[in-house]
Amino acid sequence: MKIAILPGDGIGPEIVAEAVKVLQALGLRFEMETAPVGGAAYEASGHPLPDSTLNLAKAADAILFGAVGDWKYDTLERALRPEQAILGLRKALGLFANFRPAICYEQLTHASSLKPELVAGLDILIIRELTGDIYFGQPRGRRGAPDGAFAGAEEAFDTMRYTRPEIERIAHVAFQAARQRSKRLTSVDKANVLETFQFWKDIVTEVHKGYPDVELSHMYVDNAAMQLVKAPKAFDVIVTGNMFGDILSDEASMLTGSIGMLPSASLNDKKQGLYEPSHGSAPDIAGKGVANPLATILSAAMMLRFSLNQAEAANRIETAVKKVLAQGLRTPDIYSEGTTRVGTAQMGDAVVQALA
Ligand code: IPM
Ligand code: MG
């Protein structure tokens, strides 16, 4: 089992170190190799995703990824910005299926900005298509507007597009995931306005014929954004395109009150995967030893389950995380009165202990 470790920027190295600690405590045999990515790689070699890092990722069964980005790189040309590393990895490895669970842990119900009764027991799964849509569509760029009321004026444009096979494969992934849960799938689109998402809706409806046991509903993205804060527990599995998924998954993560708790998995058709916390690089708290490592530790659990065929080890980690929460240990992001405040490394150590 070969794991590429890409810590990245900001709090990335601190939280990844804790997840590695937990992996090493499982008593399994992993081959792990670390490489720079994002701003760290740009500093070291002038590119956010150097060939050596990309090749290591390609050769691995799974990638454990921290986070990339820092405001100080915002003025670099786009191709050299840290975000290009994660976009480049997704594209180069064909990681089209992004799983973003939003789970409200019992002990953290009061951390949500929503009323506790709305989020208590929340457990939804957003499946986001990750290698198509307006993120990657060509052409894109700047030019003189070719027509319209402002013809000749400077304009910028991107292209929203999906091919049939891209929609079919993510739909299959979503129906299969729904089958393993409560058999309810909501496909989120904007078919009332966009050609791309009428096509999406038509194809998801077609693919549904192969999954008659799953109940499918369609929802426009604006309504989905509203329903997510109105009655989030009405959802189970949501499938949507790249951009809508980016937005809705951030919204969903906040329902749980603790983005520091949420893992994610991005898989290709060979079950090779990239695993990362749903949160970003948080440069404001980097190096202070206060970041919550649990999202990364839980991402390592997803990695064991989805890419490394070690479901039992994955369960052990998830149980250990629930145990440390029950013990009252909290990093500052999830701290509340009456609990015990701990730092990044202490939290990692506590999970290791809870594994035993
Ligand atoms: C995410 C992030 C990325 C995205 C950025 C960092 C490119 O927001 O993983 O959701 O937009 O996909
Ligand atoms: Mg995002």
Side-chain angles (χ1 to χ4, degrees):
M1 294 183 280
K2 226 174 144 177
I3 308 174
I5 308 283
L6 310 184
D9 307 324
I11 58 171
E14 300 161 56
I15 54 180
V16 166
E18 299 311 309
V20 168
K21 215 190 245 178
V22 171
L23 284 170
Q24 280 167 342
L26 290 168
L28 298 168
R29 286 235 251 131
F30 303 111
E31 203 184 301
M32 299 196 210
E33 199 178 329
T34 303
V37 74
Y42 173 76
E43 302 286 354
S45 65
H47 197 279
L49 183 58
D51 283 344
S52 50
T53 300
L54 180 58
N55 291 334
L56 177 72
K58 280 183 174 163
D61 299 305
I63 301 150
L64 187 64
F65 190 94
V68 291
D70 191 311
W71 303 297
K72 68 182 177 208
Y73 304 115
D74 283 357
T75 51
L76 285 176
E77 63 171 284
R78 183 170 302 283
L80 297 179
R81 289 189 210 165
E83 291 78 11
Q84 293 305 309
I86 186 69
L87 295 172
L89 281 164
R90 289 171 183 169
K91 198 66 182 173
L93 276 73
L95 304 170
F96 71 91
N98 183 214
F99 287 66
R100 297 193 167 181
I103 294 172
C104 188
Y105 288 85
E106 196 190 317
Q107 292 90 355
L108 304 180
T109 308
H110 291 271
S112 175
S113 49
L114 263 62
K115 294 190 191 106
E117 63 267 27
L118 283 184
V119 295
L122 180 78
D123 178 356
I124 62 182
L125 172 63
I126 297 191
I127 298 182
R128 168 187 176 194
E129 198 291 329
L130 204 57
T131 52
D133 202 354
I134 196 165
Y135 267 56
F136 293 97
Q138 293 291 342
R140 55 186 279 163
R142 293 187 187 202
R143 64 184 172 191
D147 48 32
F150 296 99
E154 196 186 1
E155 76 169 8
F157 63 104
D158 298 273
T159 304
M160 178 175 273
R161 60 183 294 186
Y162 267 121
T163 58
R164 170 176 282 277
E166 286 174 292
I167 301 171
E168 285 175 348
R169 66 183 181 178
I170 195 70
H172 282 290
V173 166
F175 282 114
Q176 280 158 23
R179 245 184 196 165
Q180 313 260 316
R181 296 171 50 109
S182 76
K183 299 192 166 59
R184 284 181 298 122
L185 176 66
T186 307
S187 171
V188 171
D189 62 57
K190 190 68 187 172
N192 52 343
V193 177
L194 300 171
E195 210 53 52
T196 315
F197 276 89
Q198 181 64 57
F199 190 51
W200 172 283
K201 184 175 181 178
D202 293 347
I203 292 174
V204 172
T205 305
E206 274 175 47
V207 174
H208 181 214
K209 294 196 182 107
Y211 301 86
D213 53 320
V214 178
E215 190 190 311
L216 171 68
S217 57
H218 302 277
M219 197 179 280
Y220 298 142
V221 63
D222 48 350
N223 187 26
M226 185 169 75
Q227 297 303 328
L228 267 174
V229 287
K230 189 176 167 212
K233 285 191 268 185
F235 292 102
D236 187 46
V237 182
I238 293 174
V239 63
T240 190
N242 201 347
M243 185 156 77
F244 299 156
D246 177 45
I247 299 165
L248 293 182
S249 63
D250 262 29
E251 188 189 4
S253 72
M254 257 303 122
L255 302 175
T256 71
S258 50
I259 198 168
M261 296 293 303
L262 300 178
S264 80
S266 306
L267 299 172
N268 66 18
D269 51 9
K270 298 184 296 259
K271 297 273 159 154
Q272 192 187 19
L274 183 147
Y275 299 83
E276 57 175 328
S278 283
H279 59 73
S281 55
D284 51 324
I285 56 164
K288 297 188 175 151
V290 296
N292 187 347
L294 293 178
T296 316
I297 290 171
L298 291 166
S299 299
M302 286 184 102
M303 172 173 85
L304 289 160
R305 181 172 296 120
F306 289 140
S307 288
L308 303 178
N309 242 328
Q310 300 285 339
E312 204 193 302
N315 291 337
R316 275 181 72 200
I317 295 181
E318 287 161 356
T319 306
V321 167
K322 286 186 191 138
K323 232 189 215 170
V324 301
L325 291 176
Q327 287 162 6
L329 304 186
R330 305 280 188 273
T331 42
D333 58 309
I334 52 174
Y335 175 79
S336 62
E337 237 182 79
T339 61
T340 311
R341 196 188 287 263
V342 295
T344 310
Q346 277 169 293
M347 188 59 113
D349 290 341
V351 174
V352 168
Q353 268 189 6
L355 281 175

